[in-house]
Structures are given as structure tokens and as C-alpha cells.
Amino acid sequence: MSIFRVLTSALSYYSNHGYTDQTTLNQYTNSLKAAIVYYLMRPKAKNPRDLLQSSFDRFLKKSTLRKKEINNIYTDLSRELHKRQAATDELIKYRKEESILQVLRRFVGWATSIPKGGIKDIDKVKEKDAIRKEIFELPLVESRIINDQTRKMESNLNELIAIDNGAIAAKWHSQWRTPDYNYREPHKSIDVDADIFVIRNSWAHKDGLIKEINGYTDDRELPGQLPNCKCVYHYLYKLTDLPKEMLTKKGLSLTK
Ligand SMILES: [Zn+2]
């Protein structure tokens, strides 16, 4: 039976009879739970793992790296993909469990609030719509998790590639100007202040050519790591890309 039919029959039972006994309630919650699980587990055209894999392939395709350069760090890059696939599976699994509990809790709360004998003017439609909405939103939750994990994966891939290419520092870009983007205030201010973070143990850092004034990239999370963060790093590769205050005497002498 479809989830909405199960829901309709449960709602009309309680509207007509009210909370009669625990056994009946258990029967309704069990069939509701089974129907939601069935609804959530139905096969989809593309599973989350495949979607991340496609984003990974697209990312490498549009990357400016040559094939040989990609091959050198391919193990690290694909490790990142596998990590993100595992994280996505976990998050979706927990989020689904949470949603099922939420729907059941809502149903039980509503059903047990109706006195025996039921009530006539009960707002059945409203309750059904509220529960239905929660169920319909589940696929959106899933795609939100996938998008978020994709951004995190790309941020980490960018970092691996940048470091492999000899990046020495990074500048945070927040996208706070994007309309309707719910940006984080601290991320906006890093962007507005144009803070530049040193990549620890990069060639320029090891050679004592640059110094941090705002800290290192590993002092903080990577952009795009926090939920719904759409920030990115612009990586810098040359001493002349940095403000003079970030160069040591030795570094300065090389730029003259
Ligand atoms: Zn951000």
C-alpha cells in the first residue's frame, strides 16, 4: 500500500475513533513505518555514490592539470572521493532514520491527543498535509546532502592539486554577494579583509621566504567544509602574488 494511503487510513481511524488502545496504535505506527521505509528505499535513477563519482570525473575533466600530473596524485584524489561517498551514505542514512522517527512521533502525538470516540471537526487535512510535506521533503534533504558533500570534495581536491602544483598561500573567497546566499558573517569578513593564509611547509615557507600574518590554511577548516558553506580558496603560487608584508627579507630580495 502506498505511504499516502496508509496515512489516510490511519488519520481517518483516529478522527473517527480517537485513541482507543495501545495495540491498535502500534499496528498503525508499524504499517506507517513500513510504508515510509519502502517509500524511501525505492530505487532511484542515480544513487548518491554515482552522483559523486560523476562530479569527481567532471572535476578532473575540467581541471587544467595534465594527465600525467593527475596520475601522480590520483590515489590521493580518489581517496577523497571514497571518503565523501562514505560520508554521504552515512549522512543520508541517519537523516532518513531521523525523518522516519519525526513522522512517527508526529503521528503518535496527534493520534493519542484525540479522545476516545473521535472528534468531528478535527483538522484532518491540515495534519495530513503536515506529515505529507515532511515525507515529500525527504528527497530534497538527500540532494542537499549530496550537493554539500560534492562541494567539500571539490574543495579538498582543489587543495590537493594546488599543493601538488606548488601553491604557497590561499585567499578566501566567500560569495557573500550572491543573492539569497545565507553566508556566514565571519567568512564574509575574511573575504572583505582580503586575508591571505600561508600554506605550511610549502616550498616558499620551507625556504623562509614568506611569513604568516593571518595564520596558516591548516589553522582553520577548508572553505566549503561547514554545512552549506559555498566559500572557495583562490590559491597563490608566486612570491609576487603576496603582499610585501608577508615576505621575509630573503623573500623580498628575490622579488627585486
Ligand atoms: Zn563560507
Side-chain angles (χ1 to χ4, degrees), residues 41-70:
M41 301 307 159
R42 73 204 187 289
K44 290 182 204 76
K46 277 217 156 192
N47 72 40
R49 284 184 169 259
D50 293 344
L51 288 168
L52 278 160
Q53 178 75 56
S54 317
S55 306
F56 179 81
D57 295 341
R58 257 200 316 277
F59 180 92
L60 291 190
K61 215 173 198 175
K62 69 172 194 223
S63 148
T64 52
L65 287 185
R66 284 186 297 268
K67 217 170 165 78
K68 188 167 162 273
E69 292 169 317
I70 290 180

PDB file of all heavy atoms in Angstrom, residues 41-70:
ATOM      1  N   MET A  41      13.243   3.716   0.269  1.00  0.00           N
ATOM      2  CA  MET A  41      14.225   2.787  -0.280  1.00  0.00           C
ATOM      3  C   MET A  41      13.980   2.478  -1.757  1.00  0.00           C
ATOM      4  O   MET A  41      14.730   1.725  -2.351  1.00  0.00           O
ATOM      5  CB  MET A  41      14.236   1.462   0.501  1.00  0.00           C
ATOM      6  CG  MET A  41      14.558   1.603   1.969  1.00  0.00           C
ATOM      7  SD  MET A  41      16.090   2.501   2.228  1.00  0.00           S
ATOM      8  CE  MET A  41      15.906   3.065   3.909  1.00  0.00           C
ATOM      9  N   ARG A  42      12.917   3.045  -2.318  1.00  0.00           N
ATOM     10  CA  ARG A  42      12.630   2.701  -3.719  1.00  0.00           C
ATOM     11  C   ARG A  42      13.819   3.103  -4.591  1.00  0.00           C
ATOM     12  O   ARG A  42      14.466   4.124  -4.320  1.00  0.00           O
ATOM     13  CB  ARG A  42      11.335   3.374  -4.184  1.00  0.00           C
ATOM     14  CG  ARG A  42      11.459   4.857  -4.407  1.00  0.00           C
ATOM     15  CD  ARG A  42      10.106   5.515  -4.284  1.00  0.00           C
ATOM     16  NE  ARG A  42      10.152   6.922  -4.655  1.00  0.00           N
ATOM     17  CZ  ARG A  42      10.747   7.867  -3.922  1.00  0.00           C
ATOM     18  NH1 ARG A  42      11.366   7.569  -2.812  1.00  0.00           N
ATOM     19  NH2 ARG A  42      10.730   9.121  -4.333  1.00  0.00           N
ATOM     20  N   PRO A  43      14.090   2.280  -5.598  1.00  0.00           N
ATOM     21  CA  PRO A  43      15.294   2.538  -6.400  1.00  0.00           C
ATOM     22  C   PRO A  43      15.194   3.869  -7.153  1.00  0.00           C
ATOM     23  O   PRO A  43      14.126   4.243  -7.631  1.00  0.00           O
ATOM     24  CB  PRO A  43      15.344   1.363  -7.362  1.00  0.00           C
ATOM     25  CG  PRO A  43      14.012   0.725  -7.300  1.00  0.00           C
ATOM     26  CD  PRO A  43      13.360   1.101  -6.031  1.00  0.00           C
ATOM     27  N   LYS A  44      16.310   4.552  -7.238  1.00  0.00           N
ATOM     28  CA  LYS A  44      16.344   5.833  -7.961  1.00  0.00           C
ATOM     29  C   LYS A  44      17.213   5.687  -9.193  1.00  0.00           C
ATOM     30  O   LYS A  44      17.998   4.755  -9.301  1.00  0.00           O
ATOM     31  CB  LYS A  44      16.903   6.912  -7.053  1.00  0.00           C
ATOM     32  CG  LYS A  44      15.950   7.247  -5.949  1.00  0.00           C
ATOM     33  CD  LYS A  44      16.486   8.352  -5.073  1.00  0.00           C
ATOM     34  CE  LYS A  44      15.881   8.286  -3.708  1.00  0.00           C
ATOM     35  NZ  LYS A  44      16.418   7.221  -2.865  1.00  0.00           N
ATOM     36  N   ALA A  45      17.039   6.623 -10.120  1.00  0.00           N
ATOM     37  CA  ALA A  45      17.807   6.576 -11.363  1.00  0.00           C
ATOM     38  C   ALA A  45      19.308   6.581 -11.073  1.00  0.00           C
ATOM     39  O   ALA A  45      20.075   5.840 -11.664  1.00  0.00           O
ATOM     40  CB  ALA A  45      17.430   7.749 -12.242  1.00  0.00           C
ATOM     41  N   LYS A  46      19.712   7.438 -10.103  1.00  0.00           N
ATOM     42  CA  LYS A  46      21.135   7.525  -9.782  1.00  0.00           C
ATOM     43  C   LYS A  46      21.301   7.515  -8.288  1.00  0.00           C
ATOM     44  O   LYS A  46      20.630   8.255  -7.579  1.00  0.00           O
ATOM     45  CB  LYS A  46      21.700   8.828 -10.345  1.00  0.00           C
ATOM     46  CG  LYS A  46      22.067   8.743 -11.810  1.00  0.00           C
ATOM     47  CD  LYS A  46      23.329   9.540 -12.074  1.00  0.00           C
ATOM     48  CE  LYS A  46      24.029   9.014 -13.307  1.00  0.00           C
ATOM     49  NZ  LYS A  46      25.374   9.533 -13.456  1.00  0.00           N
ATOM     50  N   ASN A  47      22.186   6.661  -7.799  1.00  0.00           N
ATOM     51  CA  ASN A  47      22.387   6.669  -6.353  1.00  0.00           C
ATOM     52  C   ASN A  47      23.452   7.711  -5.982  1.00  0.00           C
ATOM     53  O   ASN A  47      24.201   8.182  -6.833  1.00  0.00           O
ATOM     54  CB  ASN A  47      22.686   5.260  -5.836  1.00  0.00           C
ATOM     55  CG  ASN A  47      24.055   4.781  -6.229  1.00  0.00           C
ATOM     56  OD1 ASN A  47      25.025   5.553  -6.201  1.00  0.00           O
ATOM     57  ND2 ASN A  47      24.172   3.531  -6.587  1.00  0.00           N
ATOM     58  N   PRO A  48      23.479   8.112  -4.705  1.00  0.00           N
ATOM     59  CA  PRO A  48      24.393   9.169  -4.283  1.00  0.00           C
ATOM     60  C   PRO A  48      25.859   8.900  -4.643  1.00  0.00           C
ATOM     61  O   PRO A  48      26.579   9.824  -5.034  1.00  0.00           O
ATOM     62  CB  PRO A  48      24.209   9.190  -2.763  1.00  0.00           C
ATOM     63  CG  PRO A  48      22.853   8.648  -2.531  1.00  0.00           C
ATOM     64  CD  PRO A  48      22.625   7.639  -3.618  1.00  0.00           C
ATOM     65  N   ARG A  49      26.270   7.649  -4.558  1.00  0.00           N
ATOM     66  CA  ARG A  49      27.664   7.311  -4.894  1.00  0.00           C
ATOM     67  C   ARG A  49      27.976   7.626  -6.348  1.00  0.00           C
ATOM     68  O   ARG A  49      29.023   8.180  -6.674  1.00  0.00           O
ATOM     69  CB  ARG A  49      27.931   5.831  -4.641  1.00  0.00           C
ATOM     70  CG  ARG A  49      28.092   5.546  -3.188  1.00  0.00           C
ATOM     71  CD  ARG A  49      28.454   4.119  -2.887  1.00  0.00           C
ATOM     72  NE  ARG A  49      28.817   4.085  -1.477  1.00  0.00           N
ATOM     73  CZ  ARG A  49      30.066   4.061  -1.034  1.00  0.00           C
ATOM     74  NH1 ARG A  49      31.070   3.981  -1.866  1.00  0.00           N
ATOM     75  NH2 ARG A  49      30.316   4.079   0.254  1.00  0.00           N
ATOM     76  N   ASP A  50      27.039   7.260  -7.233  1.00  0.00           N
ATOM     77  CA  ASP A  50      27.238   7.523  -8.657  1.00  0.00           C
ATOM     78  C   ASP A  50      27.277   9.022  -8.933  1.00  0.00           C
ATOM     79  O   ASP A  50      28.047   9.495  -9.773  1.00  0.00           O
ATOM     80  CB  ASP A  50      26.116   6.896  -9.486  1.00  0.00           C
ATOM     81  CG  ASP A  50      26.165   5.378  -9.432  1.00  0.00           C
ATOM     82  OD1 ASP A  50      27.221   4.854  -9.021  1.00  0.00           O
ATOM     83  OD2 ASP A  50      25.153   4.742  -9.783  1.00  0.00           O
ATOM     84  N   LEU A  51      26.419   9.766  -8.219  1.00  0.00           N
ATOM     85  CA  LEU A  51      26.384  11.208  -8.430  1.00  0.00           C
ATOM     86  C   LEU A  51      27.710  11.848  -8.043  1.00  0.00           C
ATOM     87  O   LEU A  51      28.236  12.709  -8.747  1.00  0.00           O
ATOM     88  CB  LEU A  51      25.243  11.838  -7.631  1.00  0.00           C
ATOM     89  CG  LEU A  51      23.848  11.522  -8.187  1.00  0.00           C
ATOM     90  CD1 LEU A  51      22.762  11.915  -7.196  1.00  0.00           C
ATOM     91  CD2 LEU A  51      23.629  12.206  -9.526  1.00  0.00           C
ATOM     92  N   LEU A  52      28.281  11.397  -6.920  1.00  0.00           N
ATOM     93  CA  LEU A  52      29.577  11.933  -6.509  1.00  0.00           C
ATOM     94  C   LEU A  52      30.674  11.518  -7.487  1.00  0.00           C
ATOM     95  O   LEU A  52      31.560  12.296  -7.815  1.00  0.00           O
ATOM     96  CB  LEU A  52      29.927  11.463  -5.094  1.00  0.00           C
ATOM     97  CG  LEU A  52      29.283  12.281  -3.973  1.00  0.00           C
ATOM     98  CD1 LEU A  52      29.249  11.505  -2.678  1.00  0.00           C
ATOM     99  CD2 LEU A  52      30.044  13.584  -3.753  1.00  0.00           C
ATOM    100  N   GLN A  53      30.577  10.284  -7.949  1.00  0.00           N
ATOM    101  CA  GLN A  53      31.551   9.805  -8.936  1.00  0.00           C
ATOM    102  C   GLN A  53      31.498  10.684 -10.201  1.00  0.00           C
ATOM    103  O   GLN A  53      32.538  11.089 -10.732  1.00  0.00           O
ATOM    104  CB  GLN A  53      31.254   8.344  -9.295  1.00  0.00           C
ATOM    105  CG  GLN A  53      32.179   7.738 -10.349  1.00  0.00           C
ATOM    106  CD  GLN A  53      33.563   7.393  -9.804  1.00  0.00           C
ATOM    107  OE1 GLN A  53      33.689   6.645  -8.843  1.00  0.00           O
ATOM    108  NE2 GLN A  53      34.606   7.964 -10.407  1.00  0.00           N
ATOM    109  N   SER A  54      30.296  11.010 -10.674  1.00  0.00           N
ATOM    110  CA  SER A  54      30.183  11.865 -11.870  1.00  0.00           C
ATOM    111  C   SER A  54      30.777  13.240 -11.616  1.00  0.00           C
ATOM    112  O   SER A  54      31.462  13.797 -12.479  1.00  0.00           O
ATOM    113  CB  SER A  54      28.726  12.063 -12.292  1.00  0.00           C
ATOM    114  OG  SER A  54      28.024  10.880 -12.226  1.00  0.00           O
ATOM    115  N   SER A  55      30.513  13.798 -10.428  1.00  0.00           N
ATOM    116  CA  SER A  55      31.086  15.116 -10.120  1.00  0.00           C
ATOM    117  C   SER A  55      32.607  15.037 -10.096  1.00  0.00           C
ATOM    118  O   SER A  55      33.300  15.941 -10.557  1.00  0.00           O
ATOM    119  CB  SER A  55      30.631  15.620  -8.754  1.00  0.00           C
ATOM    120  OG  SER A  55      29.258  15.615  -8.664  1.00  0.00           O
ATOM    121  N   PHE A  56      33.127  13.945  -9.562  1.00  0.00           N
ATOM    122  CA  PHE A  56      34.574  13.733  -9.485  1.00  0.00           C
ATOM    123  C   PHE A  56      35.164  13.670 -10.901  1.00  0.00           C
ATOM    124  O   PHE A  56      36.144  14.359 -11.226  1.00  0.00           O
ATOM    125  CB  PHE A  56      34.837  12.422  -8.734  1.00  0.00           C
ATOM    126  CG  PHE A  56      36.293  12.047  -8.603  1.00  0.00           C
ATOM    127  CD1 PHE A  56      37.081  12.611  -7.617  1.00  0.00           C
ATOM    128  CD2 PHE A  56      36.866  11.098  -9.443  1.00  0.00           C
ATOM    129  CE1 PHE A  56      38.414  12.247  -7.466  1.00  0.00           C
ATOM    130  CE2 PHE A  56      38.201  10.737  -9.305  1.00  0.00           C
ATOM    131  CZ  PHE A  56      38.971  11.310  -8.312  1.00  0.00           C
ATOM    132  N   ASP A  57      34.528  12.889 -11.793  1.00  0.00           N
ATOM    133  CA  ASP A  57      35.021  12.766 -13.167  1.00  0.00           C
ATOM    134  C   ASP A  57      34.961  14.119 -13.891  1.00  0.00           C
ATOM    135  O   ASP A  57      35.892  14.482 -14.602  1.00  0.00           O
ATOM    136  CB  ASP A  57      34.171  11.737 -13.934  1.00  0.00           C
ATOM    137  CG  ASP A  57      34.327  10.336 -13.344  1.00  0.00           C
ATOM    138  OD1 ASP A  57      35.319  10.100 -12.617  1.00  0.00           O
ATOM    139  OD2 ASP A  57      33.447   9.487 -13.603  1.00  0.00           O
ATOM    140  N   ARG A  58      33.850  14.823 -13.682  1.00  0.00           N
ATOM    141  CA  ARG A  58      33.702  16.148 -14.316  1.00  0.00           C
ATOM    142  C   ARG A  58      34.778  17.094 -13.822  1.00  0.00           C
ATOM    143  O   ARG A  58      35.378  17.841 -14.597  1.00  0.00           O
ATOM    144  CB  ARG A  58      32.336  16.733 -13.954  1.00  0.00           C
ATOM    145  CG  ARG A  58      31.306  16.644 -15.076  1.00  0.00           C
ATOM    146  CD  ARG A  58      30.172  17.632 -14.884  1.00  0.00           C
ATOM    147  NE  ARG A  58      29.671  17.693 -13.524  1.00  0.00           N
ATOM    148  CZ  ARG A  58      28.785  16.847 -13.000  1.00  0.00           C
ATOM    149  NH1 ARG A  58      28.287  15.873 -13.745  1.00  0.00           N
ATOM    150  NH2 ARG A  58      28.377  16.983 -11.764  1.00  0.00           N
ATOM    151  N   PHE A  59      35.038  17.030 -12.511  1.00  0.00           N
ATOM    152  CA  PHE A  59      36.039  17.903 -11.901  1.00  0.00           C
ATOM    153  C   PHE A  59      37.410  17.675 -12.546  1.00  0.00           C
ATOM    154  O   PHE A  59      38.111  18.615 -12.913  1.00  0.00           O
ATOM    155  CB  PHE A  59      36.110  17.625 -10.399  1.00  0.00           C
ATOM    156  CG  PHE A  59      37.104  18.466  -9.662  1.00  0.00           C
ATOM    157  CD1 PHE A  59      36.732  19.668  -9.096  1.00  0.00           C
ATOM    158  CD2 PHE A  59      38.430  18.051  -9.542  1.00  0.00           C
ATOM    159  CE1 PHE A  59      37.653  20.452  -8.423  1.00  0.00           C
ATOM    160  CE2 PHE A  59      39.361  18.831  -8.877  1.00  0.00           C
ATOM    161  CZ  PHE A  59      38.966  20.029  -8.311  1.00  0.00           C
ATOM    162  N   LEU A  60      37.790  16.411 -12.699  1.00  0.00           N
ATOM    163  CA  LEU A  60      39.104  16.112 -13.284  1.00  0.00           C
ATOM    164  C   LEU A  60      39.153  16.507 -14.752  1.00  0.00           C
ATOM    165  O   LEU A  60      40.169  16.975 -15.251  1.00  0.00           O
ATOM    166  CB  LEU A  60      39.433  14.624 -13.132  1.00  0.00           C
ATOM    167  CG  LEU A  60      39.697  14.134 -11.711  1.00  0.00           C
ATOM    168  CD1 LEU A  60      40.245  12.719 -11.739  1.00  0.00           C
ATOM    169  CD2 LEU A  60      40.669  15.041 -10.961  1.00  0.00           C
ATOM    170  N   LYS A  61      38.045  16.347 -15.427  1.00  0.00           N
ATOM    171  CA  LYS A  61      37.974  16.665 -16.856  1.00  0.00           C
ATOM    172  C   LYS A  61      38.206  18.152 -17.104  1.00  0.00           C
ATOM    173  O   LYS A  61      38.926  18.541 -18.007  1.00  0.00           O
ATOM    174  CB  LYS A  61      36.595  16.273 -17.386  1.00  0.00           C
ATOM    175  CG  LYS A  61      36.618  15.748 -18.807  1.00  0.00           C
ATOM    176  CD  LYS A  61      35.259  15.243 -19.152  1.00  0.00           C
ATOM    177  CE  LYS A  61      35.286  14.332 -20.358  1.00  0.00           C
ATOM    178  NZ  LYS A  61      33.957  13.757 -20.583  1.00  0.00           N
ATOM    179  N   LYS A  62      37.584  18.989 -16.266  1.00  0.00           N
ATOM    180  CA  LYS A  62      37.711  20.432 -16.495  1.00  0.00           C
ATOM    181  C   LYS A  62      38.941  21.007 -15.809  1.00  0.00           C
ATOM    182  O   LYS A  62      39.251  22.183 -15.959  1.00  0.00           O
ATOM    183  CB  LYS A  62      36.433  21.163 -16.089  1.00  0.00           C
ATOM    184  CG  LYS A  62      36.152  21.203 -14.619  1.00  0.00           C
ATOM    185  CD  LYS A  62      34.968  22.110 -14.302  1.00  0.00           C
ATOM    186  CE  LYS A  62      34.957  22.382 -12.810  1.00  0.00           C
ATOM    187  NZ  LYS A  62      33.682  22.335 -12.159  1.00  0.00           N
ATOM    188  N   SER A  63      39.662  20.161 -15.051  1.00  0.00           N
ATOM    189  CA  SER A  63      40.864  20.640 -14.383  1.00  0.00           C
ATOM    190  C   SER A  63      41.935  20.973 -15.413  1.00  0.00           C
ATOM    191  O   SER A  63      42.030  20.350 -16.467  1.00  0.00           O
ATOM    192  CB  SER A  63      41.361  19.563 -13.421  1.00  0.00           C
ATOM    193  OG  SER A  63      42.756  19.604 -13.327  1.00  0.00           O
ATOM    194  N   THR A  64      42.757  21.952 -15.091  1.00  0.00           N
ATOM    195  CA  THR A  64      43.794  22.377 -16.027  1.00  0.00           C
ATOM    196  C   THR A  64      45.027  21.467 -15.953  1.00  0.00           C
ATOM    197  O   THR A  64      45.984  21.647 -16.687  1.00  0.00           O
ATOM    198  CB  THR A  64      44.239  23.819 -15.719  1.00  0.00           C
ATOM    199  OG1 THR A  64      44.574  23.880 -14.336  1.00  0.00           O
ATOM    200  CG2 THR A  64      43.133  24.811 -16.017  1.00  0.00           C
ATOM    201  N   LEU A  65      44.963  20.494 -15.044  1.00  0.00           N
ATOM    202  CA  LEU A  65      46.111  19.591 -14.892  1.00  0.00           C
ATOM    203  C   LEU A  65      46.272  18.690 -16.116  1.00  0.00           C
ATOM    204  O   LEU A  65      45.292  18.278 -16.716  1.00  0.00           O
ATOM    205  CB  LEU A  65      45.896  18.688 -13.682  1.00  0.00           C
ATOM    206  CG  LEU A  65      46.020  19.298 -12.303  1.00  0.00           C
ATOM    207  CD1 LEU A  65      45.888  18.215 -11.261  1.00  0.00           C
ATOM    208  CD2 LEU A  65      47.345  19.996 -12.151  1.00  0.00           C
ATOM    209  N   ARG A  66      47.492  18.375 -16.400  1.00  0.00           N
ATOM    210  CA  ARG A  66      47.729  17.406 -17.468  1.00  0.00           C
ATOM    211  C   ARG A  66      47.549  16.002 -16.919  1.00  0.00           C
ATOM    212  O   ARG A  66      47.605  15.783 -15.715  1.00  0.00           O
ATOM    213  CB  ARG A  66      49.137  17.586 -18.025  1.00  0.00           C
ATOM    214  CG  ARG A  66      49.260  18.812 -18.933  1.00  0.00           C
ATOM    215  CD  ARG A  66      50.632  18.862 -19.584  1.00  0.00           C
ATOM    216  NE  ARG A  66      51.670  19.012 -18.567  1.00  0.00           N
ATOM    217  CZ  ARG A  66      52.143  20.192 -18.168  1.00  0.00           C
ATOM    218  NH1 ARG A  66      51.675  21.285 -18.704  1.00  0.00           N
ATOM    219  NH2 ARG A  66      53.082  20.262 -17.260  1.00  0.00           N
ATOM    220  N   LYS A  67      47.334  15.079 -17.830  1.00  0.00           N
ATOM    221  CA  LYS A  67      47.046  13.703 -17.434  1.00  0.00           C
ATOM    222  C   LYS A  67      48.128  13.130 -16.508  1.00  0.00           C
ATOM    223  O   LYS A  67      47.837  12.477 -15.525  1.00  0.00           O
ATOM    224  CB  LYS A  67      46.920  12.833 -18.691  1.00  0.00           C
ATOM    225  CG  LYS A  67      45.842  11.805 -18.510  1.00  0.00           C
ATOM    226  CD  LYS A  67      45.513  11.103 -19.785  1.00  0.00           C
ATOM    227  CE  LYS A  67      44.720   9.876 -19.442  1.00  0.00           C
ATOM    228  NZ  LYS A  67      43.382   9.971 -19.122  1.00  0.00           N
ATOM    229  N   LYS A  68      49.364  13.446 -16.856  1.00  0.00           N
ATOM    230  CA  LYS A  68      50.476  12.921 -16.072  1.00  0.00           C
ATOM    231  C   LYS A  68      50.432  13.461 -14.644  1.00  0.00           C
ATOM    232  O   LYS A  68      50.652  12.737 -13.677  1.00  0.00           O
ATOM    233  CB  LYS A  68      51.788  13.315 -16.755  1.00  0.00           C
ATOM    234  CG  LYS A  68      53.010  12.670 -16.164  1.00  0.00           C
ATOM    235  CD  LYS A  68      54.216  12.841 -17.077  1.00  0.00           C
ATOM    236  CE  LYS A  68      55.494  12.583 -16.304  1.00  0.00           C
ATOM    237  NZ  LYS A  68      56.012  13.776 -15.610  1.00  0.00           N
ATOM    238  N   GLU A  69      50.116  14.734 -14.529  1.00  0.00           N
ATOM    239  CA  GLU A  69      50.054  15.353 -13.196  1.00  0.00           C
ATOM    240  C   GLU A  69      48.928  14.747 -12.371  1.00  0.00           C
ATOM    241  O   GLU A  69      49.060  14.526 -11.180  1.00  0.00           O
ATOM    242  CB  GLU A  69      49.844  16.861 -13.327  1.00  0.00           C
ATOM    243  CG  GLU A  69      51.041  17.573 -13.910  1.00  0.00           C
ATOM    244  CD  GLU A  69      50.735  19.004 -14.278  1.00  0.00           C
ATOM    245  OE1 GLU A  69      49.664  19.258 -14.855  1.00  0.00           O
ATOM    246  OE2 GLU A  69      51.561  19.869 -13.979  1.00  0.00           O
ATOM    247  N   ILE A  70      47.804  14.489 -13.032  1.00  0.00           N
ATOM    248  CA  ILE A  70      46.683  13.854 -12.330  1.00  0.00           C
ATOM    249  C   ILE A  70      47.098  12.469 -11.862  1.00  0.00           C
ATOM    250  O   ILE A  70      46.865  12.086 -10.717  1.00  0.00           O
ATOM    251  CB  ILE A  70      45.435  13.774 -13.232  1.00  0.00           C
ATOM    252  CG1 ILE A  70      44.868  15.172 -13.449  1.00  0.00           C
ATOM    253  CG2 ILE A  70      44.376  12.867 -12.619  1.00  0.00           C
ATOM    254  CD1 ILE A  70      43.654  15.242 -14.312  1.00  0.00           C
TER     255      ILE A  70
END
